[in-house]
Structure formats: structure tokens, C-alpha cells
Amino acid sequence: MSLNVGIIGCGGIANGKHLPSLQKISEVNIVAFCDIEIEKAQVAAEQYGTNDAKVYENYKLLLENDDIDVIHVCTPNSSHKALTVASLDAGKHVMCEKPMAKTTEEAKEMIEAAKRNGKKLTIGYQNRFRPDSQYLRKATQRGDLGDIYYGKAQAIRRRAVPTWGVFLDEEKQGGGPLIDIGTHALDLTLWMMDNYEPESVMGSTFHKLGKKENAANAWGPWDPKKFTVEDSAFGFIKMKNGSTIILESSWALNSLEVDEAKCALSGTEGGADMKDGLRIHGEEFGSLYTTNVELENKGVDFYEGETVDEAEVEARSWIDSIVNDTEPVVKPEEAMVITQILEALYQSAKTSKAVYFD
């Protein structure tokens, strides 16, 4: 069985992750490319498309192509809902880049569209497919850590503000590091805890370093006038069962403790973190122990063979779920809870009050 895939949005995330990963899957034909800057679509089609791949400036025309089975939505956050719903209503399966949407209401509409059309929907949380994440997920599911009651979601950069595209535009993105990279750390933490029932959140956002001119930065100085989102954000999340999560995110922060898309967990039987590789620790025979898990050249779920990166494993898993009619690893209902928490954290930061969920 082969699947024809269309790409909506041919910018950095499409070229850096989706297209090179999909190209390596034998069952996939990348047949359609769309971008409001049509030159980007043309370049992507030449590099990754089939010989007869079509290029579009208007996504609605692309969706009229009945030969397309799957759509990958790789556009700014503000357009995720509209493009995903339209694609599902056109009878396509959809992989939408993270975060799922800017608001919980938008995420709900996406899930409803998938259900009414009987199509699959997943969200691009590729960090679940890293070897350390896969190993830790198996350990937590087996109960190695016991009842996990504390988690720490970590997404801290010292100076790595993305200065291209619309990353600094609050209207198009919905926020800064919290919704951009904090979302990955939160996804990992909730997935490991297997807990998607938040009770309340408290959040703080800061726009301190983003005001600086000629700042040191991995991708060159940012323009303070265009920096309309937070440069760091932090949250306290209380789950209905009493479990607690601390969320840390920054693009720019005066901190030497730098970690991105990592989590730390504490349970009744043990703990784990991703600080120095994957470490699992606990108590046995009256003594404390720490185990550093060796993950080099080890196989991961959904793939057999040489080591590949998580984006390739994610793409393979997604396509397999369509071919074999199984549930995607990243369920849209889980991704919606992440959006719900992030939206509430931004609301809490604006009001300086806790946000409680029904």
C-alpha cells in the first residue's frame, strides 16, 4: 500500500523534519506542496517531490486533489486549526505540527473533525520517539518508578532565540518559548506520568532579556521591536490526583542549567531524569543506586536496523498507523490537554491568578 502525501507550509520545519523523513519511507509519495510563498513550495517539490508533484499557493486547491491521502500541516500555530479541519473534511489523514492549536476550543474542533470524517489525526511531538524517551516510557508503564507524583518539564535555553519566520509574533504563534519548546517538555512529562487530568495551574511569563539590543544569541541578535512574546515562562501544574508538575521554559535566561525537551520524575519506587543521558535511581537493600542506561546503537519501537533520529521514527510510526489502521502514538486528545494547560498558564500569567479546570 502506498500513500500520497501533501505538505502545507514549506518552511523550516517541513524541510528540516517532515520532508527528509517522509522521503525515506518506501510507501510514501510526496505529491503536493503548498506555501503562500510559492517559491518555497517549488524548491521543496524539486528536492523531495515525485516527478509529477504539483505546487500550490492556495491550500484549498491542493485539498481538491482526491489522489492525496495524507496532509502534513507545517504552518504557524494560528493556522493549525483551520488547515487541519479543512484537510480532514476533505477526507485526508492529518499530521499537524506542534503545538496542536493556540486554544483548547480550536483543538476540540480538530478532534471533532477527525471523528466525523473517520480520519486519523496526530500532532508532531517527535521527542517521544527518542531512544531515552522510549526506554523511560517502558519503565514507567511497567511500574518501575511506582506512583509518579512529581514531574519537572524542562525546556531551558541560555541564548537561543529563533529570529526567523514568525516565532517572535504573538498573534501568529500564540506565545514564545512556552508554546514553542515548553510544549515538548510538557508532552514528555505527561506521557511518562500517563496523566492527562489537570486540576489547576499557576503561571508566570517574563519579557526581560528580549528588550536588549545587539544581544548574544545562537542565531544572531534579535530585533527588540519585533520581539512581542515572552523570553521565559514558568508554571506550576496540579493534577486531579494530587500529582504536581513544574514547567520551565526559556529562549533567553541567565542560567547555566540548560536542558531542552527533558523531564525528571519522582515516584514511590524510584526516580528518573534525562540530565546526563538517562538516569534511573532508587533504593534497594538499604542503599541508594543510580543506573545510567546505555542507549547507544539500541533499537527503538517502530524501527529495526541502524540508529536513526526521532523525526524518522515518528514519520515511520505515523505512516504505519495509517497503513495498519492502528492508533497513532501521539493521540490528539493528549495533545489537546497540553494546549489546555499552556493556554491556562498564559491566562494565569496575565491575571496573576490560578486557573482551575472544570
Side-chain angles (χ1 to χ4, degrees):
M1 177 182 181
S2 63
L3 294 172
N4 292 332
V5 176
I7 305 293
I8 302 179
C10 298
I13 195 66
N15 285 278
K17 171 187 166 184
H18 293 259
L19 289 168
S21 299
L22 288 168
Q23 191 181 49
K24 295 175 182 177
I25 301 174
S26 59
E27 297 96 324
V28 166
N29 307 307
I30 313 176
V31 301
F33 299 79
C34 179
D35 199 284
I36 56 174
E37 297 179 36
I38 197 166
E39 297 81 8
K40 290 183 178 180
Q42 290 168 339
V43 170
E46 290 172 6
Q47 184 170 359
Y48 297 105
T50 56
N51 292 333
D52 57 350
K54 294 182 172 58
V55 172
Y56 301 85
E57 192 172 11
N58 186 334
Y59 76 91
K60 293 180 181 178
L61 296 177
L62 181 152
L63 294 179
E64 291 176 359
N65 186 341
D66 293 332
D67 292 333
I68 297 174
D69 306 296
V70 183
I71 294 292
H72 280 225
V73 174
C74 306
T75 59
N77 301 342
S78 60
S79 61
H80 284 185
K81 188 268 288 188
L83 295 174
T84 297
V85 170
S87 299
L88 291 164
D89 284 342
K92 323 296 186 188
H93 303 289
V94 177
M95 154 77 80
C96 177
E97 247 310 311
K98 62 78 195 168
M100 187 172 186
K102 284 176 62 175
T103 70
T104 310
E105 194 54 44
E106 289 180 344
K108 287 179 180 176
E109 289 184 46
M110 294 162 73
I111 292 173
E112 289 167 359
K115 289 180 177 177
R116 71 170 172 262
N117 290 291
K119 294 298 175 180
K120 297 187 188 298
L121 169 64
T122 195
I123 308 302
Y125 284 112
Q126 74 273 4
N127 288 288
R128 289 193 188 191
F129 299 89
R130 298 187 329 230
D132 58 342
S133 302
Q134 287 286 309
Y135 188 103
L136 185 54
R137 168 70 175 182
K138 290 174 183 174
T140 58
Q141 287 288 287
R142 192 171 63 181
D144 291 9
L145 305 189
D147 175 23
I148 304 171
Y149 55 89
Y150 175 65
K152 193 173 183 181
Q154 301 157 317
I156 296 291
R157 295 178 183 173
R158 186 182 181 189
R159 290 292 190 285
V161 178
T163 53
W164 63 91
V166 297
F167 279 102
L168 303 181
D169 187 324
E170 184 174 11
E171 177 60 31
K172 288 185 170 61
Q173 287 297 92
L178 180 59
I179 200 169
D180 177 42
I181 56 177
T183 189
H184 278 301
L186 181 58
D187 173 64
L188 279 181
T189 307
L190 294 178
W191 192 51
M192 298 304 174
M193 297 174 77
D194 200 13
N195 190 340
Y196 292 91
E197 296 187 341
E199 177 189 87
S200 62
V201 305
M202 277 288 293
S204 296
T205 60
F206 297 96
H207 189 193
K208 301 286 189 180
L209 305 185
K211 300 174 183 177
K212 293 183 179 294
E213 299 272 359
N214 300 312
N217 189 47
W219 295 292
W222 56 79
D223 183 350
K225 297 184 183 66
K226 296 179 180 178
F227 204 140
T228 63
V229 295
E230 82 277 2
D231 48 49
S232 61
F234 309 91
F236 180 91
I237 304 157
K238 184 82 173 287
M239 309 303 283
K240 287 182 179 177
N241 70 348
S243 300
T244 298
I245 298 169
I246 301 294
L247 173 57
E248 304 173 329
S249 64
S250 74
W251 283 338
L253 187 71
N254 288 322
S255 171
L256 294 178
E257 189 177 2
V258 176
D259 283 298
E260 188 168 334
K262 303 283 184 69
C263 70
L265 308 169
S266 298
T268 54
E269 299 300 321
D273 67 39
M274 297 168 165
K275 283 284 184 186
D276 183 19
L278 176 59
R279 304 185 299 187
I280 297 178
H281 49 87
E283 177 186 3
E284 195 168 40
F285 309 126
S287 299
L288 299 175
Y289 70 86
T290 302
T291 299
N292 290 74
V293 182
E294 294 185 17
L295 294 165
E296 291 294 322
N297 299 317
K298 294 291 189 295
V300 291
D301 283 353
F302 324 114
Y303 184 83
E304 295 297 333
E306 72 273 13
T307 302
V308 294
D309 68 20
E310 58 268 19
E312 290 181 39
V313 185
E314 175 191 47
R316 173 78 268 174
S317 170
W318 162 236
I319 295 302
D320 282 351
S321 75
I322 299 171
V323 171
N324 301 317
D325 193 20
T326 56
E327 202 166 29
V329 172
V330 181
K331 302 175 183 62
E333 292 81 4
E334 295 169 347
M336 184 183 72
V337 173
I338 297 167
T339 292
Q340 183 183 29
I341 291 173
L342 296 178
E343 182 184 19
L345 286 170
Y346 280 122
Q347 181 183 343
S348 173
K350 289 178 181 177
T351 62
S352 298
K353 295 179 181 179
V355 174
Y356 292 85
F357 301 101
D358 293 334

